[in-house]
């Protein structure tokens, strides 16, 4: 039986990879403009990093991680997200000892054992940014602005920015108790997963996807009514800044991060079009994560943006990705002399930056032209003994069928025009 790609993974074929290169270049470009530096961390880490950095009570750690023991009996996990590895590298490199804040961006595959469906894979890809070392709401606003600006540049207008505050170590315990008191009488009606979340992470019950649970939590108390002065001020300031920057938002009190290291700002960019997998970008503030992973007491804020979901939205919008990889010229030849001439011409064209291809299968002219069609060459020339001796070539425009006689030395400028 022929082997297949593992469940929940996808090959990116040459016909599609141009789109990936396009968004990757655009994301790198905007990050440079905003003053972020790229960080690349290993594809795998000690499992312990994610236990601490993502949190033991999350879905990711409880059921989605690709974890295995290596030959040295270490527990290793393929990275399920980009923030904890960036935090680990920040600590390990001692960049925290320098002047702050530190701005990183990344582009990485992520691995989560999930039920595959449209927009939900086991290997997927994320862009992300992090700002470490700033308590100021300015940092929150700046990363939201970057995400908003990027989505706008990618032509995506049918997304809504949802913002919330998840409070802090001062005010969240009070809220958590109020939420548990509200939920306790309904405990037996909640789904099994939420029943198990009740003690450890009750805030996650608020964003459960089950309709039954949604009905129950509809009237639950919300964190926003329990914020301490400091958190309330930060949330007000965030709203003011977004308004000043002309970034539309809606307050959504059901967005949670639900872990002790996450604090204050939580946000998502949600598509009104791609259904259940509608969140294209999610992020927030995590003032205790760096310390939790073994670093100094230093705050952070960041987001992760799913590239598959981004591409789904762009494709639905009929986005023009530009940049084709199809050859500009295909050189067909007849005979040995012509083949050598063609190889020489090919080198010159490539040195001048023309995308050119010559037949590599020594087949007849008909076969060569069929191949030129398949690869989408814009122009073709046929080289025979006459062309070799005269240096005059017949250039054929494959779209219109129009033929033009061109001297070899004028070929490059002709294609360029
Ligand atoms: P969801 O609620 O959809 O499971 P999440 O909260 O697990 O998302 P994050 O950990 O915040 O997602 O990851 C950031 C982004 O990465 C998401 O907004 C989404 O665009 C993308 N993403 C997350 N999981 C997957 C997946 N399994 N397949 C494809 N994209 C994903
Ligand atoms: Mg998830």
């Amino acid at each position: 039986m022929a082997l297949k790609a593992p469940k929940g993974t996808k090959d990116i074929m040459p016909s599609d990879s141009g789109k990936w290169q396009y968004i990757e270049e655009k994301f790198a470009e905007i990050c440079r403009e905003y003053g972020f530096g790229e960080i690349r961390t290993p594809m795998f880490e000690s499992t312990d990093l994610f236990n601490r950095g993502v949190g033991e009570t999350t879905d990711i750690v409880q059921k989605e991680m690709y974890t295995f023991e290596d030959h040295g009996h270490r527990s290793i996990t393929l990275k399920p997200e980009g923030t904890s590895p960036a935090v680990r590298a920040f600590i390990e490199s001692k960049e925290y000892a320098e002047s702050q804040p530190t701005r990183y961006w990344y582009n990485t595959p992520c691995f989560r054992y999930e039920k595959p469906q449209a927009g939900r894979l086991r290997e997927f890809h994320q862009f992300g940014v992090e700002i470490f070392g700033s308590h100021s709401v300015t940092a929150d606003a700046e990363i939201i602005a970057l995400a908003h600006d990027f989505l706008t540049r990618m032509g995506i207008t049918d997304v809504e920015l949802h913002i919330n505050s998840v409070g802090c170590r001062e005010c969240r315990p009070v809220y958590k108790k109020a939420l548990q008191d509200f939920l306790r009488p309904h405990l037996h009606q909640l789904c099994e997963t939420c029943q198990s979340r009740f003690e450890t992470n009750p805030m996650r019950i608020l964003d459960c996807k089950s309709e039954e649970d949604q009905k129950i939590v509809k009237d639950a108390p919300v964190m926003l009514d329990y914020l301490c002065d400091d958190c309330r001020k930060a949330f007000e300031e965030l709203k003011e800044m977004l308004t000043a920057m002309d970034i539309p938002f809606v307050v959504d009190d059901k967005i949670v991060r639900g872990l002790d290291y996450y604090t204050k700002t939580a946000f998502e960019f949600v598509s009104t079009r791609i259904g259940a997998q509608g969140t294209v970008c999610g992020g927030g503030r995590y003032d205790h994560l760096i310390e939790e992973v073994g670093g100094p007491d230093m705050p952070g804020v960041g987001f992760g943006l799913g590239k598959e979901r981004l591409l789904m939205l762009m494709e639905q919008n009929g986005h023009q990705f530009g940049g084709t990889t199809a050859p500009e010229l295909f050189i067909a030849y007849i005979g040995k002399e012509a083949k050598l001439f063609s190889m020489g011409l090919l080198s010159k064209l490539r040195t001048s930056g023309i995308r050119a291809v010559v037949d590599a299968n020594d087949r007849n002219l008909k076969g060569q032209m069929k191949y030129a069609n398949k690869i989408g060459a814009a122009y073709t020339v046929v080289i025979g003994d006459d062309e070799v001796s005269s240096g005059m070539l017949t250039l054929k425009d494959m779209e219109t069928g129009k033929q033009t006689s061109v001297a070899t030395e004028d070929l490059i400028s002709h294609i360029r025009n």
Side-chain angles (χ1 to χ4, degrees):
M1 202 184 74
L3 289 174
K4 290 193 166 164
K7 187 172 174 187
T9 68
K10 270 198 182 137
D11 299 312
I12 301 164
M13 302 303 281
S15 53
D16 267 335
S17 54
K19 296 176 187 170
W20 288 75
Q21 289 164 2
Y22 174 86
I23 57 170
E24 285 156 8
E25 279 160 25
K26 296 294 179 192
F27 193 72
E29 187 178 288
I30 198 168
C31 288
R32 274 195 297 273
E33 287 172 23
Y34 278 70
F36 286 69
E38 185 188 2
I39 183 166
R40 301 187 188 198
T41 64
M43 258 347 102
F44 57 87
E45 297 273 355
S46 292
T47 302
D48 198 34
L49 172 65
F50 302 114
N51 289 343
R52 293 205 252 159
V54 181
E56 311 250 18
T57 64
T58 58
D59 284 355
I60 293 182
V61 170
Q62 285 187 347
K63 49 187 195 209
E64 295 174 359
M65 293 207 302
Y66 277 90
T67 298
F68 59 95
E69 194 174 273
D70 73 4
H71 293 298
H73 306 293
R74 303 169 192 90
S75 180
I76 296 291
T77 295
L78 302 183
K79 66 161 100 154
E81 55 103 42
T83 303
S84 327
V87 167
R88 198 241 338 110
F90 176 69
I91 299 167
E92 196 170 332
S93 65
K94 298 201 168 59
E95 288 202 2
Y96 59 79
E98 292 160 25
S99 175
Q100 298 303 327
T102 298
R103 292 178 170 83
Y104 293 149
W105 71 271
Y106 58 79
N107 169 20
T108 184
C110 295
F111 306 89
R112 296 185 194 173
Y113 194 81
E114 300 205 68
K115 195 162 156 253
Q117 48 200 293
R120 192 173 294 285
L121 292 154
R122 291 184 175 174
E123 181 189 31
F124 65 100
H125 301 79
Q126 271 189 3
F127 293 134
V129 306
E130 318 288 350
I131 299 181
F132 298 148
S134 169
H135 277 290
S136 167
V137 179
T138 315
D140 309 41
E142 201 180 335
I143 65 151
I144 293 177
L146 195 158
H148 175 262
D149 191 358
F150 180 62
L151 292 172
T152 308
R153 290 187 199 188
M154 296 304 98
I156 292 167
T157 46
D158 48 350
V159 287
E160 267 176 3
L161 167 61
H162 292 208
I163 62 167
N164 192 18
S165 173
V166 297
C168 67
R169 284 176 173 174
E170 292 293 314
C171 51
R172 196 162 48 220
V174 183
Y175 168 65
K176 190 172 157 182
K177 195 171 168 301
L179 180 62
Q180 282 172 323
D181 288 346
F182 171 87
L183 290 171
R184 197 166 286 111
H186 306 284
L187 196 52
H188 61 282
Q189 294 162 271
L190 293 173
C191 75
E192 224 173 280
T193 318
C194 284
Q195 292 193 19
S196 72
R197 284 168 176 158
F198 180 78
E199 287 300 337
T200 49
N201 197 356
M203 284 173 77
R204 276 300 312 275
I205 299 174
L206 295 179
D207 76 346
C208 176
K209 306 225 155 83
S210 137
E211 269 180 40
E212 284 302 305
D213 293 15
Q214 278 302 320
K215 268 186 224 151
I216 296 167
V217 301
K218 199 165 57 67
D219 303 316
V222 296
M223 185 69 237
L224 289 181
D225 291 334
Y226 286 78
L227 295 180
C228 61
D229 278 353
D230 190 34
C231 289
R232 186 184 314 280
K233 265 190 218 137
F235 194 58
E236 289 309 315
E237 199 183 350
L238 177 67
K239 291 191 282 187
E240 280 165 18
M241 282 189 187
L242 293 176
T243 307
M245 290 190 292
D246 230 356
I247 300 174
F249 62 86
V250 290
V251 173
D252 178 349
D253 52 30
K254 294 290 185 295
I255 296 181
V256 294
R257 295 261 126 184
L259 267 180
D260 288 348
Y261 347 124
Y262 294 104
T263 45
K264 297 181 173 154
T265 308
F267 68 90
E268 287 183 354
F269 284 86
V270 188
S271 159
T272 41
R273 285 227 243 158
I274 48 176
Q277 271 63 252
T279 305
V280 61
C281 174
R285 180 165 272 281
Y286 43 84
D287 283 348
H288 306 291
L289 176 59
I290 297 175
E291 190 177 26
E292 198 64 35
V293 171
D297 175 9
M298 210 180 239
V301 56
F303 71 69
L305 191 154
K307 288 162 69 179
E308 281 82 1
R309 293 186 195 176
L310 171 68
L311 282 168
M312 276 167 75
L313 289 174
M314 291 172 75
E315 282 164 3
Q316 280 174 6
N317 286 350
H319 191 88
Q320 291 298 317
F321 289 87
T324 168
T325 50
E328 289 159 288
L329 182 69
F330 179 82
I331 307 171
Y333 58 81
I334 308 159
K336 174 135 193 268
E337 278 295 302
K339 179 174 180 176
L340 292 176
F341 181 90
S342 300
M343 297 300 284
L345 181 59
L346 183 67
S347 297
K348 287 199 198 85
L349 290 165
R350 286 180 173 164
T351 311
S352 309
I354 304 256
R355 297 191 306 275
V357 172
V358 71
D359 185 50
N361 280 19
D362 290 324
R363 59 194 139 191
N364 64 25
L365 188 59
K366 194 169 158 225
Q368 294 186 50
M369 295 314 277
K370 195 171 153 198
Y371 182 72
N373 249 320
K374 182 210 140 166
I375 61 176
Y379 292 96
T380 54
V381 284
V382 180
I383 315 268
D385 291 343
D386 285 354
E387 283 76 15
V388 174
S389 56
S390 71
M392 287 307 292
L393 312 177
T394 306
L395 189 66
K396 181 176 174 186
D397 182 325
M398 295 295 278
E399 206 176 294
T400 61
K402 192 177 156 222
Q403 306 207 4
T404 320
S405 184
V406 185
T408 308
E409 54 274 19
D410 297 333
L411 186 62
I412 291 167
S413 62
H414 201 95
I415 294 175
R416 276 276 163 269
N417 296 331

